[in-house]
Short mmCIF file of all heavy atoms in Angstrom, two decimals:
data_model
loop_
_atom_site.label_atom_id
_atom_site.label_comp_id
_atom_site.label_asym_id
_atom_site.label_seq_id
_atom_site.Cartn_x
_atom_site.Cartn_y
_atom_site.Cartn_z
N GLY A 570 37.89 -7.05 5.07
CA GLY A 570 38.19 -5.71 5.54
C GLY A 570 37.81 -5.50 6.99
O GLY A 570 38.56 -4.89 7.76
N CYS A 571 36.65 -6.02 7.39
CA CYS A 571 36.22 -5.88 8.79
C CYS A 571 37.14 -6.66 9.73
O CYS A 571 37.50 -6.16 10.81
CB CYS A 571 34.78 -6.35 8.93
SG CYS A 571 33.55 -5.29 8.11
N ILE A 572 37.50 -7.88 9.33
CA ILE A 572 38.41 -8.67 10.17
C ILE A 572 39.78 -8.01 10.25
O ILE A 572 40.43 -7.99 11.31
CB ILE A 572 38.51 -10.10 9.62
CG1 ILE A 572 37.15 -10.80 9.74
CG2 ILE A 572 39.57 -10.90 10.36
CD1 ILE A 572 37.09 -12.16 9.09
N TYR A 573 40.24 -7.46 9.14
CA TYR A 573 41.53 -6.75 9.13
C TYR A 573 41.50 -5.54 10.07
O TYR A 573 42.44 -5.34 10.86
CB TYR A 573 41.84 -6.32 7.70
CG TYR A 573 42.87 -5.22 7.58
CD1 TYR A 573 44.22 -5.48 7.81
CD2 TYR A 573 42.50 -3.93 7.22
CE1 TYR A 573 45.17 -4.47 7.70
CE2 TYR A 573 43.44 -2.92 7.11
CZ TYR A 573 44.77 -3.20 7.35
OH TYR A 573 45.70 -2.20 7.25
N CYS A 574 40.44 -4.74 10.04
CA CYS A 574 40.33 -3.60 10.94
C CYS A 574 40.21 -4.04 12.39
O CYS A 574 40.76 -3.39 13.30
CB CYS A 574 39.13 -2.74 10.56
SG CYS A 574 39.30 -1.87 8.98
N SER A 575 39.49 -5.14 12.63
CA SER A 575 39.32 -5.62 13.99
C SER A 575 40.63 -6.12 14.59
O SER A 575 40.94 -5.83 15.76
CB SER A 575 38.26 -6.72 14.03
OG SER A 575 38.10 -7.23 15.33
N ILE A 576 41.41 -6.85 13.81
CA ILE A 576 42.67 -7.41 14.32
C ILE A 576 43.74 -6.32 14.46
O ILE A 576 44.40 -6.20 15.50
CB ILE A 576 43.16 -8.55 13.42
CG1 ILE A 576 42.17 -9.72 13.48
CG2 ILE A 576 44.55 -9.01 13.84
CD1 ILE A 576 42.51 -10.85 12.54
N SER A 577 43.90 -5.53 13.41
CA SER A 577 44.95 -4.50 13.44
C SER A 577 44.63 -3.36 14.41
O SER A 577 45.55 -2.69 14.89
CB SER A 577 45.17 -3.94 12.04
OG SER A 577 43.99 -3.33 11.56
N GLY A 578 43.36 -3.13 14.70
CA GLY A 578 42.98 -2.04 15.59
C GLY A 578 42.67 -2.47 17.01
O GLY A 578 42.11 -1.68 17.77
N ARG A 579 43.04 -3.71 17.36
CA ARG A 579 42.71 -4.20 18.71
C ARG A 579 43.44 -3.40 19.79
O ARG A 579 42.84 -2.99 20.78
CB ARG A 579 43.07 -5.68 18.82
CG ARG A 579 42.83 -6.27 20.21
CD ARG A 579 43.19 -7.74 20.25
NE ARG A 579 43.03 -8.29 21.60
CZ ARG A 579 43.97 -8.24 22.52
NH1 ARG A 579 45.15 -7.67 22.25
NH2 ARG A 579 43.76 -8.75 23.72
N ASN A 580 44.74 -3.17 19.63
CA ASN A 580 45.50 -2.42 20.63
C ASN A 580 45.02 -0.98 20.74
O ASN A 580 44.93 -0.41 21.83
CB ASN A 580 46.99 -2.46 20.29
CG ASN A 580 47.57 -3.87 20.39
OD1 ASN A 580 47.08 -4.70 21.17
ND2 ASN A 580 48.58 -4.16 19.60
N MET A 581 44.69 -0.37 19.58
CA MET A 581 44.14 0.99 19.62
C MET A 581 42.81 1.03 20.35
O MET A 581 42.52 1.97 21.09
CB MET A 581 43.97 1.51 18.20
CG MET A 581 45.26 1.72 17.44
SD MET A 581 44.94 2.42 15.80
CE MET A 581 46.63 2.52 15.17
N PHE A 582 41.99 -0.01 20.15
CA PHE A 582 40.71 -0.06 20.85
C PHE A 582 40.90 -0.17 22.36
O PHE A 582 40.21 0.53 23.13
CB PHE A 582 39.91 -1.26 20.34
CG PHE A 582 38.76 -1.64 21.23
CD1 PHE A 582 37.60 -0.88 21.26
CD2 PHE A 582 38.84 -2.77 22.04
CE1 PHE A 582 36.55 -1.22 22.09
CE2 PHE A 582 37.78 -3.12 22.87
CZ PHE A 582 36.65 -2.34 22.89
#
Side-chain angles (χ1 to χ4, degrees):
C571 292
I572 295 174
Y573 161 73
C574 291
S575 178
I576 295 176
S577 62
R579 178 180 177 273
N580 294 332
M581 294 183 180
F582 164 75

